[in-house]
Amino acid sequence: LESTQQGVFAPEAGHGRKVFAVRFHPFDDNIFLTGGWDRCIKVWDVRADQVVRSINGPYICGEGIDIWEDSVLTASWVAHDSLQVWDFGSGQLMEVIPFPSDHHGEFLYVGRFCGSGDLIAAGGSGTNDLKIIDRTKREVVSSVEDEGKPIQALDVSRDGNQLVIGSTGNCVQIVTLT
């Protein structure tokens, strides 16, 4: 196994604050997205060694970026309207997915499309749980807690039926969607 450093992107071309998430496009290995504290998702093309598009608004503080077909999901660490879907091509906001929370706010760290993109998994420190949301019905179909600890890591299997969740409770959970 060899490792080569193909390129280091200059700070002036990228983000102005910490970067918390990177995600390759699932169908194009030349494209990847980054997001962080500067409230901007950057779309990079490795062939051009630069940012080719930006999506302004999402405040990413964890693994809060995902891509499904032509949709970009962002999970932001904000009190309200934290779960959003953007058009990959134009960078325009397509929809805000309701994320039920109490008076503490939403404050998401993670978000992923599941299965065929109709389900979304998201969690963070506002509700201290992971919610599985039906995107079409716009309702929570399931939730997973870890003793009231914030959810800070999430991955979804290729078929979208298994989730691995990490929290500040020092544990990892595997969840199977049925």
Side-chain angles (χ1 to χ4, degrees):
L1 184 65
E2 283 188 41
S3 173
T4 61
Q5 187 173 2
Q6 291 183 340
V8 177
F9 297 102
E12 62 271 7
H15 290 276
R17 311 256 337 251
K18 290 182 181 180
V19 175
F20 280 93
V22 296
R23 190 80 169 162
F24 268 103
H25 192 286
F27 309 119
D28 187 345
D29 288 340
N30 293 304
I31 303 293
F32 66 95
L33 284 72
T34 59
W37 281 357
D38 59 359
R39 296 185 177 271
C40 190
I41 303 295
K42 305 281 187 174
V43 179
W44 301 81
D45 188 327
V46 298
R47 296 164 294 197
D49 285 343
Q50 66 181 6
V51 173
V52 295
R53 184 168 39 275
S54 295
I55 298 173
N56 294 312
Y59 185 57
I60 305 298
C61 294
E63 298 174 344
I65 301 174
D66 201 12
I67 306 170
W68 179 261
E69 296 178 348
D70 289 330
S71 298
V72 175
L73 174 70
T74 59
S76 293
W77 200 80
V78 295
H80 306 287
D81 299 334
S82 60
L83 198 56
Q84 299 176 328
V85 178
W86 306 79
D87 179 68
F88 177 78
S90 69
Q92 296 298 309
L93 180 63
M94 293 177 10
E95 63 181 307
V96 175
I97 307 294
F99 189 88
S101 66
D102 58 15
H103 63 278
H104 294 293
E106 299 166 13
F107 300 103
L108 300 179
Y109 289 123
V110 297
R112 289 285 183 268
F113 287 112
C114 301
S116 63
D118 292 335
L119 295 178
I120 293 173
S125 63
T127 59
N128 290 329
D129 68 353
L130 182 94
K131 294 182 187 332
I132 312 298
I133 300 170
D134 184 312
R135 185 174 170 191
T136 306
K137 296 178 183 175
R138 302 177 70 77
E139 64 184 33
V140 175
V141 295
S142 185
S143 65
V144 180
E145 293 186 25
D146 180 25
E147 300 176 356
K149 303 292 185 185
I151 305 299
Q152 290 193 302
L154 168 67
D155 203 5
V156 178
S157 63
R158 286 187 196 171
D159 66 6
N161 293 324
Q162 290 190 28
L163 286 73
V164 179
I165 304 162
S167 74
T168 61
N170 300 331
C171 77
V172 173
Q173 294 185 56
I174 299 173
V175 176
T176 301
L177 300 178
T178 56

